[in-house]
Amino acid sequence: MSEMVTLTIDGVEVKAPAGSTVLEAAKLAGIRIPTLCYLKGINEIGACRICVVDVGARSLQAACVYPVSEGLKVVTNSPKVREARKVTLELILSNHERTCLTCVRSGNCELQQLANELNVGEIRFDGERTDLPVDDLSPSVVRDPNKCVLCRRCISVCNNVQSVAAIGTADRGFKTVIASPFNMALKDTPCVNCGQCINVCPVGALREKSSIEKVWDALANPDLHVVVQTAPAVRVAIGEEFGLPIGTRCTGKMVAALKRLGFDKVFDTDTGADLTIMEEGNELIQRIKNGGKLPMITSCSPGWIKFCEHNYPDLLDNLSTCKSPQNMFGALLKSYYAEKMGIDPSKIFVVSVMPCTAKKFEIQRPELASTGYPDVDVSITTRELARMIKEAGIDFVNLPDEEFDDPMGEASGAGVIFGATGGVMEAALRTVVDKLTGRDNDNIEYKEVRGEEGIKVAEVTLPDGMTIRAAVAHGLGNARKLLDQVRNGEAQYHFIEIMACPGGCVNGGGQPIQPARVRNTIDIRTERAKGLYSEDEAMTIRKSHKNPRIQKIYEEFLGEPGSHKAHELLHTHYYARENYPEECSRI
């Protein structure tokens, strides 16, 4: 056990682990100290000074970084402390673009919440306002420096968690801004569009680039057959936008809401995930048997793919050639589905609902148009879908559960768990082990690859003595560590799964934003993943190759995994990217 120290907070004796902070000790005593820049495990720098407390020193101290000590006496609620917090908050607000009514974060803004909690009824300071250009050139992320409060959470997650370093501070004092190197537009940097910066931003300084109006326009166009596909992680997160507990499974209500929005067909991207496993599993088997490039690395995460193109071009041949489930499914909708339903593929408009902002970048890749049309026309986030449901006046919580549409609405439990870190690996192993052993194996839960450990390793020994070595990394900082080991010959694997976002798609950059007061106490990644694993457990079919819809698609259209037609429609290629092009746009 950790050594404990005894201190007093607001007259209450508290025992806290040595090395912990006053903020953490106060939480143990049931005392809430307000914060703004602090985010557990991401940003602990004491920059904003909202959390100041009186520890008997000459000046007030930031509770988020001040260490506890034996006999320390802390006051969190005094006229001096309350006034210091209010002054700090008012100074931040004096230079803030206070367009709250039209801000995408209205009602879910930590600055707004602080103003309410600290009883700020007026702003006593008339600060000089910054008027900086908004960077909206990226297909995924919009950066509005006029709403920035300089908390530096975005910098911490981009640099320390994702190891991308696409943004940082520039200038000093009042002129300090969060910017890209050389004030480039984000699109011209190594930004991978993961959107983790959006998820940690306490205000509206970072947001996804909205495609809502494009979807409304398509739905209103009588000449278009508009279909929608939903990623697995969306179903366990969208309920949060309507007040439901984190991780609530809302599959049926989500389908019902989409049908009421007017989509002609509502499909499940999990079917595309099953298809991915068929192709990716076959590719892995062929590489193992025929001496192909190993380790094979998954290609489902567009943020990871762009990261690889920028930072590990020497490993591009290790990437699976499979498209992501989103684009595989889109390609099938504009070929197999179009043919089966007798619809001109030029009239099929595919919308994807993704937990991911990088999908907005992915759908624009010119190589993802194997039918002659983009695989996917518009990709929206979980948050955007929630806004559409609210705009349409749909009572989401009280909707009846409805089913995905035929003929492509059935998926396996393996497809469902794609949304959690380790899910792609587990789904692949369920199929690959069956194919390699030639029998239906009962042990299908590979729990070694589950959980929130940054890098997970598993070994699966087959009856013939062959051992498949697998590794899983989530979050690009962890991916960098793992790939450096592979590159240097320190570790050898057959198969590696990498997801750009920490926790996988359940924590994607397009998921509902939970404020720091929630993220500091609950691991939202684990709670959402629980929902996916419970849905997998409840399903009759839990292996991709057992999905009768997938079997039928191969029988009627594709032939077999790895066939010429499958490669034509479902596989792609990637290429090395410069980190900072010589000719780049300024904002």
Side-chain angles (χ1 to χ4, degrees), residues 454-480:
I455 298 174
K456 296 162 283 188
V457 176
E459 292 188 355
V460 180
T461 302
L462 304 180
D464 63 0
M466 177 186 174
T467 298
I468 299 176
R469 282 183 51 80
V472 173
H474 60 108
L476 293 173
N478 290 321
R480 190 183 288 276

Side-chain angles (χ1 to χ4, degrees), residues 60-232:
L60 300 179
Q61 300 296 314
C64 69
V65 292
Y66 197 85
V68 298
S69 58
E70 187 67 35
L72 181 69
K73 294 187 178 181
V74 181
V75 176
T76 74
N77 180 22
S78 69
K80 180 180 179 182
V81 169
R82 291 196 302 272
E83 179 63 12
R85 291 174 182 167
K86 289 180 77 168
V87 166
T88 298
L89 183 57
E90 287 178 48
L91 286 170
I92 293 172
L93 288 168
S94 72
N95 184 43
H96 189 68
E97 183 183 84
R98 297 190 296 275
T99 54
C100 300
L101 290 177
T102 56
C103 180
V104 72
R105 292 293 297 276
S106 183
N108 187 23
C109 170
E110 294 181 44
L111 190 66
Q112 199 176 58
Q113 183 65 31
L114 272 175
N116 288 331
E117 289 178 358
L118 299 186
N119 195 28
V120 174
E122 61 179 347
I123 300 170
R124 291 168 286 180
F125 311 104
D126 187 16
E128 180 182 344
R129 300 289 178 86
T130 55
D131 185 15
L132 298 169
V134 174
D135 177 9
D136 62 354
L137 300 179
S138 162
S140 302
V141 180
V142 176
R143 190 168 56 86
D144 186 350
N146 301 300
K147 294 181 180 179
C148 180
V149 293
L150 299 176
C151 69
R152 294 168 172 77
R153 285 189 196 171
C154 58
I155 295 174
S156 292
V157 77
C158 188
N159 291 11
N160 303 333
V161 177
Q162 297 295 72
S163 74
V164 173
I167 48 177
T169 54
D171 292 328
R172 302 178 66 181
F174 179 75
K175 293 183 179 180
T176 301
V177 293
I178 309 300
S180 300
F182 311 109
N183 201 32
M184 291 179 175
L186 272 179
K187 75 177 184 67
D188 294 319
T189 73
C191 171
V192 299
N193 305 289
C194 69
Q196 288 302 304
C197 56
I198 300 174
N199 280 0
V200 301
C201 181
V203 293
L206 290 155
R207 64 182 187 272
E208 74 269 39
K209 194 165 191 175
S210 179
S211 300
I212 290 176
E213 290 307 316
K214 291 180 182 177
V215 179
W216 283 132
D217 289 344
L219 289 170
N221 188 338
D223 294 330
L224 294 178
H225 181 76
V226 187
V227 298
V228 63
Q229 54 165 311
T230 63

